[in-house]
Amino acid sequence: MKNPIIEAEIPDSTNPAPRFTWGVSITTEGQWNMSNNHGAWANLIEAEITAALWQTALFEAGAISTYTLGKNATDVRQDFSNINATNRAFRLTHLGIEQYIGSSIRLFAGLRQADADYFNTEMAGLFTGASYGCLPIVNDNFNVNVYPVAALGVHAEWTPKENMTLKTSLYNGASSDRIDHQFRFRPHRDGLLNLGSITYTLPAAKDNELPANYVISYNIGNHRHAYQDRRHTQFGFYVTAEQPLFRMGRLRLCATGTGAMEFNDPQVAEGYWNAALALEHVTRRGGTLAFGLSRAYYSDGHETDLEATFVLPVNKYFSLQPTLHYLCTDGKRQVVGQLRLMAEF
C-alpha cells in the first residue's frame, strides 16, 4: 500500500488548515505467473478527504474499492502484490479526528490503518511486495490493521526536535473490513495491539529524491492463541536504515536494509530481513530502478522474494511500474511478472 494520498500539514494559528481537501488514487495491474501460466487483473481505487473542524483539528476519512479478475497468480507466503485483496466495492479504512497541539504533538482517535505510520517509508514504497508494506512478523502473527482492513484505536506522534518523531498506537486486536465489526473496542475478546517507533529523517536536497531515514520500531500484541485455548502475548521489534550512497552524474544510488524478530512463541512468522538498492533519475522524468531481496522465516518453513521494479513517471498524474519477482517458497520456485499503471489526482 502506498503512502497517504493527502499529505497533511500541521495547522496552527498562523497556518490554518484548508477547509476541505481531497485525493483519489487508481491502480490497475496485470499479473502473470510465468511458472504455471496463471494470470490476473487487479484493481484498486483509494479516496481520502479532510475537513477543518476548529483551529487545530481535522476530520479525516478514507475508503477503498478492490476488484480482481482471473485466477490467483501464485500461492506464496509473502504476497508479491500489495494491492491484492478480495473483491469488495467499498471498504472504510480511515475515519476519525486528528488534533494538533502546538507544532510538535499530533493525536488521532478513530478508525485507522497502521501502514503509513510504521511501514510505508518512501524507499519501501517503491516495491510491490506486500512485506515492504507490513513486515511478516506483524502481518502474519496479528490481525493487524493494515491494507485492506482497519481497526478502532488511538494514535499519537511527538516531534521533540527537527527530523525526529516518536509514535505510538493502541488498537483493537481484531481488525476488519466490515463496518459492523470495525467500530468496536473489545480487549477481552479481541485483544490489544500496541505499535511504536522512533524515526529520524534527513530530507534530501531535492524534493523528488529519497531521504535518509532510520527507524526503530516495536510491537506488542495480546490475543487468543490460534491453536491453543489461552491468551497469548507476543512482542517483537525491527530496525530499518535507508541511506543515499553517492551520485553518478544525474544518477543517485540509495540503499536500505531491515531486520526484524518476533519473540515469545510467535504463531507464524519468527523473523524477517530485506536489503535493497534504488537508482534514481534513470529517466529525465525521474524514473527509479530498484532491486530488493526479502527473506521471511516461519515456524514451518521459509520464503525468499527477489524483486526488480522500475517506477516510470509518465506525466504529472500517471506512472507505469513493470516488476519481476523470483519467489522460492520452501524450495518451490516461481517467477511472476506485473505491469502496474497508477494515477493520482
Side-chain angles (χ1 to χ4, degrees):
M1 191 69 168
K2 301 186 296 300
N3 287 320
I5 302 167
I6 302 171
E7 294 291 343
E9 295 184 1
I10 298 177
D12 55 38
S13 57
T14 60
N15 179 36
R19 292 299 303 172
F20 181 82
T21 59
W22 64 276
V24 175
S25 173
I26 302 171
T27 305
T28 183
E29 177 182 277
Q31 305 172 351
W32 176 35
N33 187 330
M34 303 176 194
S35 302
N36 59 22
N37 214 31
H38 287 176
W41 177 34
N43 299 274
L44 166 67
I45 300 175
E46 304 169 87
E48 297 180 3
I49 61 170
T50 66
L53 297 177
W54 46 90
Q55 190 174 51
T56 58
L58 297 172
F59 167 78
E60 301 177 346
I64 64 172
S65 176
T66 58
Y67 176 73
T68 299
L69 180 66
K71 294 182 178 180
N72 184 11
T74 188
D75 182 20
V76 292
R77 297 174 185 262
Q78 304 173 85
D79 204 327
F80 66 91
S81 177
N82 53 14
I83 70 167
N84 279 343
T86 56
N87 294 347
R88 183 154 296 180
F90 178 84
R91 287 181 173 94
L92 189 61
T93 57
H94 192 90
L95 186 70
I97 295 176
E98 190 157 56
Q99 173 71 62
Y100 295 84
I101 302 175
S103 60
S104 62
I105 297 177
R106 187 174 180 176
L107 306 174
F108 177 90
L111 191 70
R112 192 176 180 96
Q113 293 182 319
D115 314 49
D117 295 324
Y118 296 102
F119 307 106
N120 287 1
T121 62
E122 290 194 45
M123 196 159 176
L126 294 172
F127 296 94
T128 69
S131 289
Y132 292 94
C134 183
L135 307 187
I137 65 162
V138 180
N139 188 55
D140 293 340
N141 288 317
F142 302 103
N143 189 355
V144 61
N145 51 316
V146 296
Y147 175 85
V149 296
L152 194 65
V154 292
H155 173 78
E157 297 184 16
W158 176 41
T159 306
K161 62 179 182 177
E162 188 178 9
N163 302 327
M164 178 179 287
T165 302
L166 285 73
K167 302 179 184 180
T168 188
S169 308
L170 183 66
Y171 291 109
N172 187 61
S175 58
S176 177
D177 59 4
R178 294 174 52 186
I179 293 178
D180 58 337
H181 288 175
Q182 289 178 320
F183 292 94
R184 65 185 187 187
F185 192 76
R186 306 188 305 182
H188 180 70
R189 177 174 295 184
D190 296 338
L192 291 170
L193 178 61
N194 175 220
L195 303 174
S197 70
I198 301 175
T199 302
Y200 184 74
T201 303
L202 292 174
K206 299 179 181 179
D207 291 340
N208 63 342
E209 292 186 337
L210 296 168
N213 193 53
Y214 312 97
V215 182
I216 300 175
S217 184
Y218 71 87
N219 65 82
I220 301 174
N222 178 268
H223 57 110
R224 188 164 295 280
H225 198 287
Y227 311 113
Q228 304 175 29
D229 188 22
R230 62 180 177 85
R231 303 289 294 183
H232 180 63
T233 298
Q234 298 173 83
F235 60 92
F237 72 92
Y238 75 87
V239 294
T240 292
E242 299 178 342
Q243 179 64 50
L245 298 179
F246 55 84
R247 294 182 184 274
M248 299 173 288
R250 80 178 183 197
L251 301 177
R252 183 170 181 261
L253 185 66
C254 302
T256 184
T258 294
M261 290 290 294
E262 195 73 12
F263 300 95
N264 194 30
D265 188 25
Q267 295 180 41
V268 182
E270 300 174 343
Y272 170 82
W273 62 263
N274 69 44
L277 291 171
L279 187 63
E280 298 184 279
H281 309 306
V282 176
T283 68
R284 294 189 180 278
R285 291 187 178 272
T288 301
L289 180 65
F291 300 90
L293 177 63
S294 295
R295 183 154 175 89
Y297 301 90
Y298 298 88
S299 56
D300 61 347
H302 51 81
E303 183 173 78
T304 301
D305 179 11
L306 178 61
E307 177 178 346
T309 190
F310 186 24
V311 181
L312 178 62
V314 178
N315 57 31
K316 179 181 178 181
Y317 302 105
F318 294 91
S319 61
L320 282 171
Q321 185 172 9
T323 302
L324 190 66
H325 288 265
Y326 171 80
L327 296 137
C328 182
T329 308
D330 304 326
K332 179 183 178 181
R333 294 170 174 81
Q334 301 175 80
V335 178
V336 180
Q338 301 160 265
L339 181 59
R340 177 176 293 188
L341 173 64
M342 297 168 286
E344 291 191 1
F345 305 96

